[in-house]
Amino acid sequence: MNSNNAQSFSNGFALVGDIGGTNARFALWRGEVLESIQVLACADYPRPEDAVRDYLQRVGQPLSAVENVCLACAGPVGAGDFKFTNNHWVIRRESFRAELGLSHLLLVNDFSTMAWAASRLSEEHLVQVRPGKALEGRAKLIIGPGTGLGVGSLMPLPSGGWEVLPCEGGHVDLPVTSERDFALWQLLREKYGHVSAERVLSGSGLENLYRMSCQLDGVEPACATAAEIGERAMAGDAYADAVLEHFFLWLARVAGNAVLTVGGLGGVYITGGIVPRFLERFQRSGFAEAFRSRGKTSGPYLDPVPVWVMTADHPGLFGAGVALEQALRNEG
């Protein structure tokens, strides 16, 4: 990428996308702002190129106006072509670029874009849920319970930019810190064998936690889905609320462990589809205390670490824009 392409990007716009198993979200990225956001069903298009063409037609932009594209893809992204796990699309890098006439195509892991978003989101899109002081020059941790449990970190660069370090932190062992934790862990182990953090800290994990809590307590389940558990908790159902509280406490433990591992004294950013939906309840939970309530060494280490919840509507798209901007700047 030469400086002319970087300059054209700064003066115009790029196309960014956030593509999952079911939907593809597209937007134009101009001046650090998302424009013309649309959601298209992946099943409606034989190839991702067809979806891009249709999106541009819908928003009144010619294909020739787009030179730079960043797509956040659900799954591990390598240097080669990308095949989606949960839909039929394949992005063949060279043919994709050639067919659409692109100067630059950047593919990034979808959760990595959440980390890129955390590096640039303004205060209006962040809600602080744990006070503290973020240390300059230290890593930031991003964690997000949703369909799965995403974990990543942002490392500051000497140039002033950031490096996103994707990982598989959702598959660490689920921490056990109480007799009830242990009883639930035993039920999870009977069902799954290895008990990862994601077995509890995700949409399906919340359902696991509810069902196995009911099994442990001899309670007839009244909910079948994570949405129902959350709705009943918000409506005043004491049992569903207690399960949701346990979910938040387990999130605190896993997040705290991750901070200790990566040295994330730059702060923690929580995203995903669950916590922002129940933000007020999360703020009243025991998360903040459980996060630092540990041993004589780890407790003081974690005590000053602030925690925010990301409330932006489309952090994946925003992060794709930030990732592309930095990549072009580095190459320009």
Side-chain angles (χ1 to χ4, degrees):
M1 178 59 56
N2 59 41
S3 59
N4 290 334
N5 286 326
Q7 182 66 26
S8 68
F9 171 65
S10 66
N11 292 336
F13 63 83
L15 173 68
V16 294
D18 184 6
I19 305 173
T22 303
N23 294 316
R25 294 168 176 81
F26 292 109
L28 303 179
W29 173 261
R30 191 194 319 258
E32 300 188 19
V33 175
L34 295 171
E35 301 177 355
S36 304
I37 298 171
Q38 293 211 6
V39 181
L40 307 182
C42 297
D44 290 346
Y45 304 91
R47 306 177 304 150
E49 293 92 334
D50 302 318
V52 169
R53 289 178 182 276
D54 187 42
Y55 166 76
L56 290 171
Q57 184 175 15
R58 289 170 181 241
V59 299
Q61 294 290 345
L63 181 59
S64 59
V66 177
E67 295 184 12
N68 304 302
V69 172
C70 178
L71 300 178
C73 304
V77 176
D81 298 337
F82 183 85
K83 186 179 189 309
F84 288 84
T85 303
N86 295 315
N87 72 44
H88 62 285
W89 283 3
V90 178
I91 297 178
R92 306 190 188 283
R93 290 177 184 262
E94 291 307 315
S95 61
F96 190 98
R97 285 182 59 184
E99 180 176 331
L100 300 182
L102 304 178
S103 299
H104 193 276
L105 171 65
L106 177 65
L107 304 183
V108 293
N109 170 263
D110 59 340
F111 195 79
S112 292
T113 61
M114 299 296 183
W116 286 115
S119 74
R120 192 77 63 83
L121 284 175
S122 62
E123 290 185 2
E124 65 181 303
H125 294 128
L126 296 170
V127 174
Q128 190 163 14
V129 294
R130 188 176 191 280
K133 181 175 177 57
L135 294 187
E136 294 287 339
R138 296 303 298 265
K140 301 177 185 290
L141 177 79
I142 295 83
I143 186 167
T147 303
L149 176 62
V151 181
S153 57
L154 273 170
M155 303 297 293
L157 298 174
S159 63
W162 295 89
E163 179 72 21
V164 174
L165 301 180
C167 70
E168 293 299 323
H171 299 292
V172 300
D173 294 339
L174 182 69
V176 174
T177 61
S178 69
E179 290 184 4
R180 185 166 183 85
D181 283 358
F182 182 64
L184 290 165
W185 178 88
Q186 287 181 304
L187 294 175
L188 288 162
R189 186 183 62 172
E190 290 173 7
K191 183 175 178 62
Y192 295 109
H194 176 249
V195 184
S196 68
E198 190 174 80
R199 291 299 186 192
V200 166
L201 297 176
S202 60
S204 61
L206 180 58
E207 294 165 7
N208 283 335
L209 182 57
Y210 179 81
R211 286 194 303 270
M212 291 178 183
S213 294
C214 290
Q215 181 180 341
L216 189 64
D217 297 330
V219 172
E220 185 67 26
C223 307
T225 67
E228 291 173 353
I229 297 165
E231 289 168 4
R232 290 183 72 92
M234 295 301 98
D237 183 298
Y239 197 83
D241 184 72
V243 171
L244 193 60
E245 173 71 9
H246 201 162
F247 179 95
F248 294 149
L249 296 180
W250 242 322
L251 177 60
R253 288 288 175 177
V254 172
N257 286 352
V259 169
L260 291 168
T261 300
V262 303
L265 299 181
V268 177
Y269 296 79
I270 298 175
T271 183
I274 298 177
V275 174
R277 186 181 306 170
F278 306 117
L279 181 56
E280 292 185 6
R281 176 62 182 85
F282 183 66
Q283 290 174 295
R284 301 195 308 271
S285 75
F287 174 92
E289 177 57 27
F291 178 83
R292 59 86 52 209
S293 180
R294 296 165 189 259
K296 64 180 182 179
T297 299
S298 56
Y301 186 90
L302 291 168
D303 194 47
V305 177
V307 179
W308 294 270
V309 173
M310 296 166 56
T311 59
D313 290 334
H314 299 282
L317 287 173
F318 185 86
V322 175
L324 179 60
E325 187 177 300
Q326 179 163 308
L328 292 175
R329 185 178 296 116
N330 290 345
E331 295 184 20

